[in-house]
Amino acid sequence: MSGTVNEVIMLFMVGIERPQDNNTAWGIIVPVFEELGYGCVSAADEQGEVLYRAKEVILLMAEEVIANGHMLSTLNTGFVDYRAKYPAFTEWLAIEVPVEGLKGKQKRVNITLSEPLLARVDAYVGFHHAFKDRSDFLAKAADRYMQMK
């Protein structure tokens, strides 16, 4: 599916589980990811957050799928009725998500950091080999910070 000339949009079926009481959240599931061995679930504290949280988890999981070498097109199944397989999820939405930006291409950016902070970042990256380089560290740090919010 596609929108404008440069925009690629995919349709994802999203199951919604209503909260049992005031102490539980709205459950969210995107079953198509299970075809590649991933679980794609989330939750929203308020009904108004469900669409945002659903798109957020779809984009996060799609990014993971691509990072692990899978083709995103394998998830492009369109409308699928999952109600029988997931009876706890009583509401289903078909959500269009723009995925063009997930192709994994890198984009150079120019940022400004103080020299002491840059030296600390470089020292940290030099000691922690989980990071390929400074850019990898900064990208992962930014992503982690946004996931905490």
PDB file of all heavy atoms in Angstrom, residues 4 14 21 27 29-31 34 42 65 67 78-79 85 93 114-115 120 130 135 139 141 144 147:
ATOM      1  N   THR A   4       1.560   8.972  -0.782  1.00  0.00           N
ATOM      2  CA  THR A   4       2.168   9.814  -1.786  1.00  0.00           C
ATOM      3  C   THR A   4       3.294   9.062  -2.474  1.00  0.00           C
ATOM      4  O   THR A   4       3.617   7.942  -2.109  1.00  0.00           O
ATOM      5  CB  THR A   4       2.714  11.107  -1.135  1.00  0.00           C
ATOM      6  OG1 THR A   4       3.741  10.740  -0.220  1.00  0.00           O
ATOM      7  CG2 THR A   4       1.623  11.882  -0.434  1.00  0.00           C
ATOM      8  N   VAL A  14      -4.814  -4.379  14.877  1.00  0.00           N
ATOM      9  CA  VAL A  14      -4.470  -4.163  16.282  1.00  0.00           C
ATOM     10  C   VAL A  14      -5.647  -4.581  17.148  1.00  0.00           C
ATOM     11  O   VAL A  14      -6.766  -4.104  16.973  1.00  0.00           O
ATOM     12  CB  VAL A  14      -4.140  -2.670  16.536  1.00  0.00           C
ATOM     13  CG1 VAL A  14      -3.876  -2.422  18.008  1.00  0.00           C
ATOM     14  CG2 VAL A  14      -2.967  -2.228  15.683  1.00  0.00           C
ATOM     15  N   ASP A  21     -10.595  -3.364  35.349  1.00  0.00           N
ATOM     16  CA  ASP A  21     -11.026  -2.458  36.412  1.00  0.00           C
ATOM     17  C   ASP A  21     -10.198  -1.175  36.315  1.00  0.00           C
ATOM     18  O   ASP A  21      -9.441  -1.006  35.365  1.00  0.00           O
ATOM     19  CB  ASP A  21     -10.875  -3.113  37.789  1.00  0.00           C
ATOM     20  CG  ASP A  21      -9.482  -3.654  38.030  1.00  0.00           C
ATOM     21  OD1 ASP A  21      -8.499  -2.930  37.732  1.00  0.00           O
ATOM     22  OD2 ASP A  21      -9.360  -4.785  38.525  1.00  0.00           O
ATOM     23  N   GLY A  27      -5.116  -3.170  26.976  1.00  0.00           N
ATOM     24  CA  GLY A  27      -4.137  -4.051  26.353  1.00  0.00           C
ATOM     25  C   GLY A  27      -4.120  -3.856  24.841  1.00  0.00           C
ATOM     26  O   GLY A  27      -5.157  -3.601  24.228  1.00  0.00           O
ATOM     27  N   ILE A  29      -2.370  -5.554  21.172  1.00  0.00           N
ATOM     28  CA  ILE A  29      -1.601  -6.622  20.527  1.00  0.00           C
ATOM     29  C   ILE A  29      -1.627  -6.415  19.015  1.00  0.00           C
ATOM     30  O   ILE A  29      -2.638  -5.975  18.460  1.00  0.00           O
ATOM     31  CB  ILE A  29      -2.143  -8.020  20.902  1.00  0.00           C
ATOM     32  CG1 ILE A  29      -1.187  -9.110  20.413  1.00  0.00           C
ATOM     33  CG2 ILE A  29      -3.556  -8.237  20.384  1.00  0.00           C
ATOM     34  CD1 ILE A  29      -1.463 -10.482  21.005  1.00  0.00           C
ATOM     35  N   VAL A  30      -0.493  -6.718  18.385  1.00  0.00           N
ATOM     36  CA  VAL A  30      -0.376  -6.657  16.926  1.00  0.00           C
ATOM     37  C   VAL A  30       0.135  -8.029  16.486  1.00  0.00           C
ATOM     38  O   VAL A  30       1.342  -8.270  16.412  1.00  0.00           O
ATOM     39  CB  VAL A  30       0.571  -5.521  16.483  1.00  0.00           C
ATOM     40  CG1 VAL A  30       0.532  -5.372  14.960  1.00  0.00           C
ATOM     41  CG2 VAL A  30       0.206  -4.209  17.167  1.00  0.00           C
ATOM     42  N   PRO A  31      -0.777  -8.947  16.188  1.00  0.00           N
ATOM     43  CA  PRO A  31      -0.413 -10.346  15.958  1.00  0.00           C
ATOM     44  C   PRO A  31       0.471 -10.628  14.745  1.00  0.00           C
ATOM     45  O   PRO A  31       1.184 -11.630  14.737  1.00  0.00           O
ATOM     46  CB  PRO A  31      -1.770 -11.037  15.773  1.00  0.00           C
ATOM     47  CG  PRO A  31      -2.761 -10.131  16.372  1.00  0.00           C
ATOM     48  CD  PRO A  31      -2.223  -8.758  16.214  1.00  0.00           C
ATOM     49  N   GLU A  34       4.011 -11.975  15.117  1.00  0.00           N
ATOM     50  CA  GLU A  34       4.248 -13.344  15.571  1.00  0.00           C
ATOM     51  C   GLU A  34       4.684 -14.244  14.424  1.00  0.00           C
ATOM     52  O   GLU A  34       5.357 -15.242  14.640  1.00  0.00           O
ATOM     53  CB  GLU A  34       3.003 -13.892  16.260  1.00  0.00           C
ATOM     54  CG  GLU A  34       2.716 -13.185  17.569  1.00  0.00           C
ATOM     55  CD  GLU A  34       1.436 -13.649  18.244  1.00  0.00           C
ATOM     56  OE1 GLU A  34       0.824 -14.631  17.786  1.00  0.00           O
ATOM     57  OE2 GLU A  34       1.058 -13.013  19.236  1.00  0.00           O
ATOM     58  N   SER A  42       1.516  -3.978  23.887  1.00  0.00           N
ATOM     59  CA  SER A  42       1.720  -2.732  24.606  1.00  0.00           C
ATOM     60  C   SER A  42       0.503  -2.515  25.500  1.00  0.00           C
ATOM     61  O   SER A  42      -0.392  -3.366  25.572  1.00  0.00           O
ATOM     62  CB  SER A  42       1.892  -1.559  23.634  1.00  0.00           C
ATOM     63  OG  SER A  42       2.258  -0.387  24.330  1.00  0.00           O
ATOM     64  N   VAL A  65      12.524  -5.646  13.564  1.00  0.00           N
ATOM     65  CA  VAL A  65      12.438  -6.625  12.483  1.00  0.00           C
ATOM     66  C   VAL A  65      13.475  -6.312  11.405  1.00  0.00           C
ATOM     67  O   VAL A  65      14.207  -7.196  10.944  1.00  0.00           O
ATOM     68  CB  VAL A  65      11.003  -6.637  11.886  1.00  0.00           C
ATOM     69  CG1 VAL A  65      10.960  -7.322  10.538  1.00  0.00           C
ATOM     70  CG2 VAL A  65      10.038  -7.310  12.856  1.00  0.00           C
ATOM     71  N   ALA A  67      16.198  -4.409  11.740  1.00  0.00           N
ATOM     72  CA  ALA A  67      17.546  -4.528  12.308  1.00  0.00           C
ATOM     73  C   ALA A  67      18.018  -5.970  12.351  1.00  0.00           C
ATOM     74  O   ALA A  67      19.216  -6.241  12.252  1.00  0.00           O
ATOM     75  CB  ALA A  67      17.573  -3.922  13.711  1.00  0.00           C
ATOM     76  N   GLY A  78      -2.247  -6.999   5.157  1.00  0.00           N
ATOM     77  CA  GLY A  78      -3.538  -6.331   4.987  1.00  0.00           C
ATOM     78  C   GLY A  78      -4.517  -6.734   6.073  1.00  0.00           C
ATOM     79  O   GLY A  78      -4.137  -7.085   7.191  1.00  0.00           O
ATOM     80  N   PHE A  79      -5.804  -6.730   5.730  1.00  0.00           N
ATOM     81  CA  PHE A  79      -6.849  -7.029   6.710  1.00  0.00           C
ATOM     82  C   PHE A  79      -6.878  -8.523   7.018  1.00  0.00           C
ATOM     83  O   PHE A  79      -6.988  -9.349   6.124  1.00  0.00           O
ATOM     84  CB  PHE A  79      -8.219  -6.587   6.192  1.00  0.00           C
ATOM     85  CG  PHE A  79      -9.306  -6.786   7.203  1.00  0.00           C
ATOM     86  CD1 PHE A  79      -9.592  -5.815   8.139  1.00  0.00           C
ATOM     87  CD2 PHE A  79     -10.036  -7.978   7.233  1.00  0.00           C
ATOM     88  CE1 PHE A  79     -10.588  -6.003   9.088  1.00  0.00           C
ATOM     89  CE2 PHE A  79     -11.034  -8.181   8.174  1.00  0.00           C
ATOM     90  CZ  PHE A  79     -11.306  -7.191   9.102  1.00  0.00           C
ATOM     91  N   LYS A  85      -8.675 -16.192  17.271  1.00  0.00           N
ATOM     92  CA  LYS A  85      -7.406 -16.579  17.887  1.00  0.00           C
ATOM     93  C   LYS A  85      -7.109 -15.793  19.164  1.00  0.00           C
ATOM     94  O   LYS A  85      -6.397 -16.268  20.045  1.00  0.00           O
ATOM     95  CB  LYS A  85      -6.270 -16.389  16.880  1.00  0.00           C
ATOM     96  CG  LYS A  85      -4.957 -16.961  17.342  1.00  0.00           C
ATOM     97  CD  LYS A  85      -3.918 -16.895  16.236  1.00  0.00           C
ATOM     98  CE  LYS A  85      -2.594 -17.463  16.733  1.00  0.00           C
ATOM     99  NZ  LYS A  85      -1.551 -17.377  15.736  1.00  0.00           N
ATOM    100  N   LEU A  93      -8.803  -2.874  15.390  1.00  0.00           N
ATOM    101  CA  LEU A  93      -8.634  -1.704  14.544  1.00  0.00           C
ATOM    102  C   LEU A  93      -7.679  -2.037  13.411  1.00  0.00           C
ATOM    103  O   LEU A  93      -6.725  -2.792  13.601  1.00  0.00           O
ATOM    104  CB  LEU A  93      -8.037  -0.539  15.344  1.00  0.00           C
ATOM    105  CG  LEU A  93      -8.744  -0.109  16.616  1.00  0.00           C
ATOM    106  CD1 LEU A  93      -7.893   0.906  17.359  1.00  0.00           C
ATOM    107  CD2 LEU A  93     -10.099   0.475  16.287  1.00  0.00           C
ATOM    108  N   SER A 114      29.533  19.980  24.438  1.00  0.00           N
ATOM    109  CA  SER A 114      30.708  20.572  25.081  1.00  0.00           C
ATOM    110  C   SER A 114      31.871  19.575  24.973  1.00  0.00           C
ATOM    111  O   SER A 114      31.663  18.361  24.893  1.00  0.00           O
ATOM    112  CB  SER A 114      30.415  20.890  26.546  1.00  0.00           C
ATOM    113  OG  SER A 114      30.266  19.690  27.284  1.00  0.00           O
ATOM    114  N   GLU A 115      33.094  20.106  24.980  1.00  0.00           N
ATOM    115  CA  GLU A 115      34.257  19.221  24.875  1.00  0.00           C
ATOM    116  C   GLU A 115      34.334  18.213  26.022  1.00  0.00           C
ATOM    117  O   GLU A 115      34.625  17.039  25.787  1.00  0.00           O
ATOM    118  CB  GLU A 115      35.546  20.048  24.784  1.00  0.00           C
ATOM    119  CG  GLU A 115      35.704  20.713  23.435  1.00  0.00           C
ATOM    120  CD  GLU A 115      37.009  21.499  23.326  1.00  0.00           C
ATOM    121  OE1 GLU A 115      37.818  21.505  24.288  1.00  0.00           O
ATOM    122  OE2 GLU A 115      37.213  22.109  22.264  1.00  0.00           O
ATOM    123  N   ARG A 120      33.747  12.499  27.607  1.00  0.00           N
ATOM    124  CA  ARG A 120      33.110  11.451  28.429  1.00  0.00           C
ATOM    125  C   ARG A 120      32.413  10.422  27.562  1.00  0.00           C
ATOM    126  O   ARG A 120      32.490   9.216  27.820  1.00  0.00           O
ATOM    127  CB  ARG A 120      32.133  12.082  29.418  1.00  0.00           C
ATOM    128  CG  ARG A 120      32.830  12.821  30.554  1.00  0.00           C
ATOM    129  CD  ARG A 120      31.884  13.503  31.534  1.00  0.00           C
ATOM    130  NE  ARG A 120      30.725  12.732  31.886  1.00  0.00           N
ATOM    131  CZ  ARG A 120      29.490  13.249  32.021  1.00  0.00           C
ATOM    132  NH1 ARG A 120      29.281  14.534  31.837  1.00  0.00           N
ATOM    133  NH2 ARG A 120      28.487  12.485  32.350  1.00  0.00           N
ATOM    134  N   ALA A 130      29.728  -2.587  23.495  1.00  0.00           N
ATOM    135  CA  ALA A 130      28.384  -2.834  22.965  1.00  0.00           C
ATOM    136  C   ALA A 130      28.018  -1.774  21.932  1.00  0.00           C
ATOM    137  O   ALA A 130      27.064  -1.947  21.178  1.00  0.00           O
ATOM    138  CB  ALA A 130      27.357  -2.825  24.098  1.00  0.00           C
ATOM    139  N   SER A 135      28.334   7.657  17.386  1.00  0.00           N
ATOM    140  CA  SER A 135      26.993   7.829  16.810  1.00  0.00           C
ATOM    141  C   SER A 135      26.044   6.732  17.277  1.00  0.00           C
ATOM    142  O   SER A 135      24.884   6.995  17.592  1.00  0.00           O
ATOM    143  CB  SER A 135      27.056   7.840  15.282  1.00  0.00           C
ATOM    144  OG  SER A 135      27.742   8.977  14.824  1.00  0.00           O
ATOM    145  N   ALA A 139      22.674   7.488  19.420  1.00  0.00           N
ATOM    146  CA  ALA A 139      21.372   7.041  18.896  1.00  0.00           C
ATOM    147  C   ALA A 139      20.667   6.140  19.903  1.00  0.00           C
ATOM    148  O   ALA A 139      19.470   6.300  20.167  1.00  0.00           O
ATOM    149  CB  ALA A 139      21.561   6.320  17.564  1.00  0.00           C
ATOM    150  N   ALA A 141      21.216   5.984  23.160  1.00  0.00           N
ATOM    151  CA  ALA A 141      20.893   6.768  24.357  1.00  0.00           C
ATOM    152  C   ALA A 141      19.624   7.585  24.124  1.00  0.00           C
ATOM    153  O   ALA A 141      18.751   7.649  25.002  1.00  0.00           O
ATOM    154  CB  ALA A 141      22.065   7.677  24.733  1.00  0.00           C
ATOM    155  N   ARG A 144      16.637   5.202  24.131  1.00  0.00           N
ATOM    156  CA  ARG A 144      16.324   4.743  25.499  1.00  0.00           C
ATOM    157  C   ARG A 144      15.625   5.839  26.298  1.00  0.00           C
ATOM    158  O   ARG A 144      14.663   5.585  27.015  1.00  0.00           O
ATOM    159  CB  ARG A 144      17.593   4.290  26.188  1.00  0.00           C
ATOM    160  CG  ARG A 144      17.347   3.706  27.551  1.00  0.00           C
ATOM    161  CD  ARG A 144      18.648   3.189  28.142  1.00  0.00           C
ATOM    162  NE  ARG A 144      18.420   2.702  29.461  1.00  0.00           N
ATOM    163  CZ  ARG A 144      18.486   1.435  29.823  1.00  0.00           C
ATOM    164  NH1 ARG A 144      18.788   0.517  28.946  1.00  0.00           N
ATOM    165  NH2 ARG A 144      18.272   1.089  31.056  1.00  0.00           N
ATOM    166  N   GLN A 147      12.039   6.101  25.251  1.00  0.00           N
ATOM    167  CA  GLN A 147      11.223   4.972  25.716  1.00  0.00           C
ATOM    168  C   GLN A 147      10.847   5.112  27.175  1.00  0.00           C
ATOM    169  O   GLN A 147       9.823   4.598  27.599  1.00  0.00           O
ATOM    170  CB  GLN A 147      11.983   3.653  25.498  1.00  0.00           C
ATOM    171  CG  GLN A 147      12.045   3.238  24.055  1.00  0.00           C
ATOM    172  CD  GLN A 147      12.778   1.934  23.870  1.00  0.00           C
ATOM    173  OE1 GLN A 147      12.840   1.120  24.788  1.00  0.00           O
ATOM    174  NE2 GLN A 147      13.327   1.729  22.695  1.00  0.00           N
TER     175      GLN A 147
END
